[in-house]
């Protein structure tokens, strides 16, 4: 049965680019997910396997990162136009380039004790959670949130760790620290005879303390940041006795632009989605018992 080749296209999908622009202590962030799809004279590669006309998808990925440095990212549209024009005008066999971009929006965390403007929270609300348990005489209220994504574009280091024969990680003295916070906090209110907290105020203030502690901590590890966030909540919210966090370390790797003759001065990052470090821990008011389960998905 004879066959002919129909529509075809190829490229690299979902290149996660984070571009930090440093204006002194004020940083700006652009966070994109860029998918490139090219088409043109690609019959041969399908029919015979000849790659003569094939610009590797790996190259399209490199181009995305290099362009983030060379041209900056003013807007997703502008960035897409640069890329699409480049592929069509620089490669004779490529006749059409489609560049799709998703942009993730960030807001600044305005924290009074921050050393600069380099802390961000992803736009789009987190999910507020609660679990109420009553056995006829006492109450347990555990509230919290999930999907609260935060990022510091500086003031984060990681070094001095154990090195064994499998360790390849380079020590970092200025890295991006980003996580998607999942937190649960347990109220010490357990008795109808006691005045219950104002739940809405408690939620808003706990969230605020958590964000401010994230922004204001000069971090030597995500573990240290976790402890600071928990301590800030326990110190400021007397109605809360225990806080537990599950913090995926959302790694941002500096892209090596040297092969393209470009210097990457902590500007262009590859935002990896997996695998991720997972840092979890509880912070307790002294003298209180830990009751939030270790695995927050069980709550
Ligand atoms: O903040 C961090 N804590 C770790 O335990 C760890 N491990 C790692 O590879 N990177 C990091 N970062």
């Amino acid at each position: 049965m004879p066959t002919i080749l129909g529509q075809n296209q190829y490229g690299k999908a979902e290149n996660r680019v984070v571009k930090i622009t440093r204006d002194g202590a004020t940083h700006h962030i652009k966070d994109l997910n860029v998918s490139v799809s090219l088409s043109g004279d690609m019959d041969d590669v399908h029919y015979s396997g000849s790659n003569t006309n094939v610009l590797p998808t790996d190259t399209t990925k490199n181009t995305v990162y290099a362009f983030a440095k060379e041209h900056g990212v003013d807007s997703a549209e502008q960035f897409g136009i640069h890329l699409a024009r480049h592929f069509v005008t620089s490669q004779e066999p490529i006749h059409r380039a489609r560049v799709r971009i998703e942009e993730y929006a960030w807001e600044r965390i305005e924290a009074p004790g921050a050393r600069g403007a380099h802390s961000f929270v992803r736009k789009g609300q987190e999910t507020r959670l609660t679990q109420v348990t009553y056995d006829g005489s006492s109450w347990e209220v555990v509230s919290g949130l999930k999907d609260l994504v935060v990022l510091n574009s500086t003031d984060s280091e990681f070094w001095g760790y154990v090195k064994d024969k499998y360790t390849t990680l380079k020590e970092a003295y200025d890295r991006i620290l980003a996580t998607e916070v999942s937190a649960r906090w347990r109220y010490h209110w357990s008795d109808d005879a006691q005045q219950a907290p104002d739940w809405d105020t408690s939620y808003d203030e706990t969230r605020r303390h958590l964000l401010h502690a994230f922004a204001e901590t000069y971090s030597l590890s995500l573990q240290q940041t976790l402890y600071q966030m928990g301590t800030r909540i326990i110190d400021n919210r007397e109605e809360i006795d225990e806080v537990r966090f599950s913090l995926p370390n959302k790694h941002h790797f500096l892209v090596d632009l040297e092969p393209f003759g470009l210097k990457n001065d902590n500007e262009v990052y590859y935002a990896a989605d997996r695998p991720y470090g997972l840092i979890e821990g509880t912070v307790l008011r002294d003298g209180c018992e830990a009751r939030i389960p270790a695995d927050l998905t069980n709550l």
Side-chain angles (χ1 to χ4, degrees):
M1 180 90 84
T3 57
I4 54 162
L5 177 68
Q7 198 283 340
N8 62 91
Q9 56 195 20
Y10 81 109
K12 198 69 110 192
E14 305 215 40
N15 299 282
R16 293 283 289 104
V17 190
V18 170
K19 172 82 200 298
I20 303 293
T21 307
R22 295 172 176 231
D23 178 10
T26 301
H27 293 189
H28 305 274
I29 185 169
K30 281 284 183 181
D31 184 357
L32 305 180
N33 189 7
V34 182
S35 295
V36 175
S37 214
L38 308 175
S39 48
D41 294 336
M42 298 296 156
D43 286 3
D44 281 355
V45 61
H46 293 88
Y47 287 137
S48 72
S50 164
N51 292 321
T52 308
N53 286 353
V54 177
L55 181 74
T57 66
D58 189 66
T59 306
T60 64
K61 175 197 73 185
N62 289 344
T63 310
V64 169
Y65 289 106
F67 272 37
K69 165 71 188 187
E70 278 189 289
H71 303 286
V73 181
D74 280 341
S75 61
E77 288 80 0
Q78 185 60 49
F79 193 59
I81 288 165
H82 267 304
L83 282 166
R85 181 186 291 122
H86 166 80
F87 291 120
V88 173
T89 59
S90 68
Q91 298 299 322
E92 221 249 340
I94 294 173
H95 301 160
R96 182 172 175 274
R98 189 200 67 199
V99 180
R100 286 188 173 161
I101 301 179
E102 292 178 357
E103 178 168 359
Y104 309 116
W106 294 83
E107 281 170 358
R108 289 190 187 282
I109 301 173
E110 307 286 354
R115 293 162 13 109
H118 57 252
S119 300
F120 305 90
V121 55
R122 262 269 287 268
K123 260 195 199 161
Q125 274 302 314
E126 70 280 1
T127 302
R128 178 174 164 178
L129 306 163
T130 195
Q131 171 180 289
V132 175
T133 316
Y134 182 51
D135 63 5
S137 60
S138 66
W139 295 93
E140 185 187 74
V141 181
V142 177
S143 297
L145 52 78
K146 62 176 183 177
D147 305 331
L148 181 70
V149 184
V150 289
L151 180 148
N152 282 327
S153 52
T154 189
D155 285 5
S156 167
E157 307 184 13
F158 187 67
W159 48 267
Y161 41 78
V162 174
K163 290 160 193 99
D164 71 4
K165 69 176 182 171
Y166 302 113
T167 305
T168 56
L169 185 73
K170 298 269 173 298
E171 299 203 319
Y173 297 91
D174 188 4
R175 66 174 187 173
I176 284 183
L177 184 68
T179 185
E180 183 178 300
V181 179
S182 183
R184 305 290 185 279
W185 48 88
R186 184 172 54 76
Y187 289 96
H188 76 204
W189 181 78
S190 65
D191 185 341
D192 278 317
Q194 275 178 287
Q195 168 84 44
D198 176 332
W199 306 110
D200 287 346
T201 304
S202 182
Y203 179 83
D204 292 345
E205 287 297 299
T206 302
R207 179 184 186 278
R208 187 174 69 81
H209 286 298
L210 184 162
L211 288 178
H212 286 189
F214 178 80
E216 292 170 7
T217 300
Y218 190 105
S219 177
L220 300 177
S221 65
L222 186 51
Q223 288 90 330
Q224 183 196 20
T225 296
L226 178 155
Y227 190 72
Q228 287 300 316
M229 294 195 298
T231 297
R232 186 77 72 101
I233 292 167
I234 298 288
D235 283 351
N236 287 280
R237 302 306 305 175
E238 60 177 14
E239 71 276 23
I240 295 172
D241 278 348
E242 178 184 5
V243 189
R244 185 163 178 86
F245 292 101
S246 180
L247 303 178
N249 192 351
K250 292 170 76 76
H251 302 298
H252 287 68
F253 298 112
L254 214 47
V255 180
D256 181 10
L257 300 176
E258 292 278 334
F260 324 126
L262 299 170
K263 188 158 184 289
N264 192 352
D265 202 9
N266 284 358
E267 295 163 275
V268 181
Y269 296 85
Y270 156 56
D273 66 343
R274 61 191 70 167
Y276 48 86
L278 185 59
I279 310 299
E280 303 183 294
T282 295
V283 183
L284 282 168
R285 187 176 299 289
D286 198 12
C288 291
E289 202 187 315
R291 288 200 218 128
I292 302 177
D295 184 354
L296 293 188
T297 56
N298 287 340
L299 196 68

